[in-house]
Amino acid sequence: MLPVNQAEQIILNLVQPFDRAYDVETLSLLNASGRILAETVTSSLDFPHWNNSAMDGYAVRYDDVQTCSAENPVILDIVEEIPAGYQPQTPIQPGQAARILTGSVMPTGADTIVIQEETQREGDRVTIFASPQHHAFVRDRGAFYQAGNALLPPGLRLQAPEIAVLAAAQCAQVNVYRRPKVAILSTGSELVGIDQPLQPGQIVDSNQYALAAVVAQAGAEPLMLGSVPDQPEALKTAIQQAIAAADMVLSSGGVSVGDYDYVDEILAALGATIHIHAVAVKPGKPLTVATFDHEKGRGKETPSLDSPTSKKQLLYFGLPGNPVSALVSCWRFVLPALRKLSGLPSPWEPKFVKARSLSTLKSDGKRESYLWGNLRLVDGEFEFELATGSHSSGNLINLAGTSGLAVIPLEETQISVGDHVQVLPIG
């Protein structure tokens, strides 16, 4: 069995990220939310576009107001009012001011804003009762961004702030990486679909839905291929279909040492290179990681824009069949690989947080153990509380509603109440 960190590095080293020459599509800005930017975006606009006011008040010459106070106020003539969207027409001369609103263009001659709370207006004159700092509340053209520079870098996931920046820069379309296609299939003659009546000995194929949810939440496209019985020919056909359709394949079940565990054997027969067979992790020891190249796995050598075969190598994960084991393995090993594949920049590894344990956490010390529970931020410190009930790899029930996996390192057997523990946020 490989240590967890060693398995993680092997997997990440196998991943070949999307290629900007083949794996990019152009989307309208409205359809680009959540997608990953594939190229540097620049703008021909300065931000701000012009010198403008950051407050409601009066645009003045600093020389006119630098010595004023409540005891020695200054009275200025108001020569213009500048609402938002208006181009000032009158330059500010000595002894003059312009009424100005937030975001409005600064008039020529003015270099400072006096906020209206420190003034009193009477007709066309305004009294200034406090001396501002020079250049106070003036936002200079190009202070936030100068035209021609990099505005947003490639590898950035486009969320609300980035979408807003692109809209402000008048980018109606953006080039983004396509969504990775992830084929998902479940193995086991005991599996039935959610719409089928259960017979004795059968179970519902929940892994198909759980893994599809994780994949979709990561921004990839799940291809749900259903369940396959423990029959070598049927499984071989299903795996061939999966590797022909996707950038990554996730199968669950069939990778242990049982009499009906055929996945590794079939992968080898199809020409896969198997890199990992098992990892020292609990839950989830059985884990097959394999790769296919074009010639062996997909039968195509020439990449095209509309086909996932632009990838030189496909990564195959044979996950455990127990539902909690499948999910933990997906969170711990598949998601980092998917982040790298999809075009996100490093680091791709999971981000753990240090939390104070509210529960006693136990392990046999033989494998790195992951215990699920609730992770909360309380008064600036993370706390972790173990979920009640059985922590069995087949028990999905108490996994629901949890938000973190506490890690008990290899060869450690207990983390006591009040001790700190590394926790992987989930969900």
Side-chain angles (χ1 to χ4, degrees), residues 88-213:
Q89 302 296 313
T90 306
I92 302 302
Q93 303 294 336
Q96 296 179 340
R99 171 65 171 154
I100 195 167
L101 300 179
T102 301
S104 297
V105 179
M106 288 288 290
T108 302
D111 59 8
T112 301
I113 298 296
V114 178
I115 60 174
Q116 68 182 38
E117 291 85 351
E118 296 176 344
T119 68
Q120 181 176 327
R121 179 173 181 173
E122 294 183 5
D124 291 335
R125 307 184 80 188
V126 61
T127 302
I128 311 297
F129 293 103
S131 176
Q133 293 291 322
H134 180 249
H135 215 60
F137 303 113
V138 175
R139 294 185 290 216
D140 291 323
R141 176 175 178 169
F144 306 156
Y145 167 82
Q146 294 181 353
N149 292 330
L151 181 63
L152 295 178
L156 192 65
R157 191 179 294 278
L158 300 178
Q159 306 290 4
E162 294 77 28
I163 294 293
V165 168
L166 291 169
Q170 297 183 315
C171 294
Q173 294 182 317
V174 289
N175 289 333
V176 298
Y177 288 112
R178 62 179 178 84
R179 294 184 188 275
K181 296 180 183 295
V182 182
I184 302 170
L185 59 95
S186 304
T187 72
S189 298
E190 75 280 13
L191 300 176
V192 298
I194 61 173
D195 56 349
Q196 297 176 257
L198 283 176
Q199 301 299 325
Q202 294 182 327
I203 59 174
V204 176
D205 178 15
S206 62
N207 285 350
Q208 189 88 191
Y209 293 87
L211 297 177

Side-chain angles (χ1 to χ4, degrees), residues 68 171 273 313 363 422:
C68 69
C171 294
T273 302
Q313 186 167 264
S363 167
Q422 294 294 314

Side-chain angles (χ1 to χ4, degrees), residues 283-294:
K285 178 177 71 172
L287 177 68
T288 292
V289 178
T291 52
F292 287 92
D293 60 28
H294 288 307

Side-chain angles (χ1 to χ4, degrees), residues 22-328:
Y22 302 113
D23 299 303
V24 174
E25 56 187 1
T26 302
L27 296 181
S28 70
L29 189 57
L30 284 176
N31 293 323
S33 180
R35 303 299 291 272
I36 299 169
L37 199 59
E39 64 182 16
T40 299
V41 175
T42 61
S43 176
S44 60
L45 299 173
D46 291 321
F47 287 82
H49 308 321
W50 48 76
N51 296 344
N52 69 91
S53 174
M55 297 288 284
D56 292 346
Y58 294 88
V60 301
R61 298 171 68 254
Y62 178 71
D63 288 346
D64 288 339
V65 298
Q66 61 179 317
T67 61
C68 69
S69 64
E71 296 76 23
N72 184 31
V74 170
I75 300 175
L76 303 174
D77 294 325
I78 301 171
V79 297
E80 189 172 26
E81 295 201 7
I82 309 173
Y86 173 79
Q87 178 64 41
Q89 302 296 313
T90 306
I92 302 302
Q93 303 294 336
Q96 296 179 340
R99 171 65 171 154
I100 195 167
L101 300 179
T102 301
S104 297
V105 179
M106 288 288 290
T108 302
D111 59 8
T112 301
I113 298 296
V114 178
I115 60 174
Q116 68 182 38
E117 291 85 351
E118 296 176 344
T119 68
Q120 181 176 327
R121 179 173 181 173
E122 294 183 5
D124 291 335
R125 307 184 80 188
V126 61
T127 302
I128 311 297
F129 293 103
S131 176
Q133 293 291 322
H134 180 249
H135 215 60
F137 303 113
V138 175
R139 294 185 290 216
D140 291 323
R141 176 175 178 169
F144 306 156
Y145 167 82
Q146 294 181 353
N149 292 330
L151 181 63
L152 295 178
L156 192 65
R157 191 179 294 278
L158 300 178
Q159 306 290 4
E162 294 77 28
I163 294 293
V165 168
L166 291 169
Q170 297 183 315
C171 294
Q173 294 182 317
V174 289
N175 289 333
V176 298
Y177 288 112
R178 62 179 178 84
R179 294 184 188 275
K181 296 180 183 295
V182 182
I184 302 170
L185 59 95
S186 304
T187 72
S189 298
E190 75 280 13
L191 300 176
V192 298
I194 61 173
D195 56 349
Q196 297 176 257
L198 283 176
Q199 301 299 325
Q202 294 182 327
I203 59 174
V204 176
D205 178 15
S206 62
N207 285 350
Q208 189 88 191
Y209 293 87
L211 297 177
V214 174
V215 166
Q217 288 165 3
E221 179 183 349
L223 307 177
M224 298 175 67
L225 303 185
S227 58
V228 186
D230 292 317
Q231 299 170 4
E233 284 305 314
L235 187 55
K236 180 180 179 181
T237 299
I239 291 176
Q240 286 176 314
Q241 292 173 343
I243 62 179
D247 302 293
M248 181 184 291
V249 178
L250 310 181
S251 67
S252 60
V255 292
S256 190
V257 292
D259 294 341
Y260 298 96
D261 292 327
Y262 300 121
V263 170
D264 284 14
E265 177 184 331
I266 291 171
L267 291 175
L270 289 173
T273 302
I274 299 179
H275 304 270
I276 297 175
H277 288 281
V279 180
V281 63
K282 183 179 181 180
K285 178 177 71 172
L287 177 68
T288 292
V289 178
T291 52
F292 287 92
D293 60 28
H294 288 307
E295 294 78 15
K296 294 178 181 179
R298 289 169 165 193
K300 294 184 180 180
E301 298 182 20
T302 303
S304 63
L305 276 174
D306 58 355
S307 168
T309 57
S310 59
K311 291 298 296 158
K312 294 180 180 179
Q313 186 167 264
L314 175 143
L315 196 57
Y316 187 106
F317 287 91
L319 306 176
N322 279 319
V324 177
S325 298
L327 269 174
V328 171

